[in-house]
Amino acid sequence: MKVIKVKNYEELSRTAATIIAGVILSKPDCILGLATGSSPVGTYDQLAAMYEEGILDFSHVKSVNLDEYVGLDGSNDQSYRYFMNTNLFDHVNIDKNKTYVPNGLEEDSDKACADYNEIIRSVGGIDIQLLGIGGNGHIGFNEPGEAFEKETHCVDLTESTIKANARFFESMDEVPKQAYTMGIKNIMAAKKILLVATGSAKADALYKSLYGPITPNVPASILQLHQDVTVVADEDALRLIKEKGLL
Ligand code: F6R
């Protein structure tokens, strides 16, 4: 595992974007595994800037995203499809028909998940998977305690996530209660993994994931077993690791 320490969010975003750009340049028809959340927003900005400058061409790139809320249409501004369109896809020359997120409108969860696994397989697997990390060590919607060997599956959102999301919706009925997420097995099958972490709220999870025991209680700890992981993290996120003299 390679850990790159950066000073701030801008440097983190530039570093992560450069790594992804390297994959696109060496394999123009690569498959990007993408994430939502606040951590990768700056990375997407940087990738869009590289496209604007003529450094990157996304015309042959395909992408698969980690997760999507069940019940949300891609036009809903809380959906992860909407997030990806507005934060990246609308700003580069990627063919949106070749960008995939789980189908949140598919009510048959077995079908939604099997279809998504098939999409990942049919595009030939993921060349580089970008990940954020939750304060509890989750990756995608793989929360502590879930089996490592799962592929795409449906998860029940925790009460606290549902409550936190409630402010974005007009009524409680509209707030998603479930999500479809790639499983740890899909993530571990990616050729390369790039994890970005920023801020002190990630320090504990990052320490446990990188240096603690490998356990489903800290989902990201499984990454210790992957052969090609790069972590880009700022000083706050690396604080505990540094305090323990590990970096
Ligand atoms: C996003 C995802 C989540 C986030 C994680 C960190 O698709 O699956 O695992 O990566 O919750 O979120 P932020 O970056 O908002 O701290």
Side-chain angles (χ1 to χ4, degrees):
M1 192 175 297
K2 188 170 160 196
V3 180
I4 303 176
K5 185 172 130 189
V6 294
K7 275 198 221 55
N8 51 36
Y9 186 67
E10 202 198 328
E11 197 185 336
L12 175 138
S13 302
R14 248 187 295 118
T15 307
T18 305
I19 292 169
I20 296 170
V23 174
I24 298 172
L25 288 170
S26 62
K27 189 178 177 195
D29 60 348
C30 66
I31 311 301
L32 302 180
L34 300 174
T36 57
S38 53
S39 307
V41 170
T43 305
Y44 296 149
D45 286 347
Q46 294 286 334
L47 287 171
M50 289 183 205
Y51 164 71
E52 276 298 320
E53 285 158 24
I55 301 167
L56 284 183
D57 172 17
F58 287 80
S59 60
H60 300 291
V61 172
K62 295 181 190 147
S63 70
V64 286
N65 256 77
L66 282 170
D67 39 21
E68 179 59 287
Y69 288 120
V70 175
L72 295 195
D73 183 86
S75 62
N76 186 307
D77 63 4
Q78 295 306 312
S79 72
Y80 287 171
R81 158 59 70 186
Y82 187 92
F83 175 101
M84 288 311 304
N85 285 347
T86 50
N87 282 285
L88 182 64
F89 302 151
D90 287 344
H91 309 288
V92 298
N93 64 336
I94 199 163
D95 177 353
K96 274 199 200 147
N97 294 318
K98 293 179 180 151
T99 64
Y100 302 95
V101 297
N103 180 3
L105 290 183
E106 174 57 68
E107 287 172 16
D108 178 344
S109 64
D110 287 344
K111 181 174 181 338
C113 296
D115 286 353
Y116 204 60
N117 288 329
E118 186 44 38
I119 286 171
I120 298 169
R121 263 187 281 277
S122 69
V123 293
I126 299 165
D127 289 298
I128 182 165
Q129 177 66 54
L130 176 61
L131 295 175
I133 183 170
N136 61 3
H138 74 218
I139 44 180
F141 266 116
N142 297 280
E143 296 294 345
E146 279 204 63
F148 277 151
E149 58 274 8
K150 283 190 186 169
E151 292 195 302
T152 307
H153 58 286
C154 182
V155 291
D156 294 328
L157 303 180
T158 60
E159 252 337 281
S160 63
T161 304
I162 295 170
K163 280 204 184 113
N165 285 344
R167 66 185 189 281
F168 301 120
F169 295 88
E170 282 182 9
S171 77
M172 209 51 196
D173 285 350
E174 291 171 44
V175 186
K177 313 288 185 302
Q178 292 181 312
Y180 297 136
T181 182
M182 274 190 209
I184 297 288
K185 192 169 172 186
N186 305 104
I187 294 171
M188 288 296 281
K191 292 188 189 92
K192 276 178 185 293
I193 291 180
L194 172 61
L195 187 146
V196 289
T198 171
S200 54
K202 305 295 170 71
D204 186 55
L206 205 56
Y207 165 64
K208 287 183 180 150
S209 300
L210 270 51
Y211 297 99
I214 298 167
T215 161
N217 294 329
V218 183
S221 64
I222 191 75
L223 300 177
Q224 292 177 42
L225 298 181
H226 194 281
Q227 51 172 9
D228 190 349
V229 177
T230 302
V231 176
V232 185
D234 65 11
E235 286 170 6
D236 288 341
L238 289 169
R239 198 196 64 235
L240 255 183
I241 292 173
K242 210 170 157 229
E243 267 170 32
K244 306 231 180 231
L246 295 162
L247 197 73

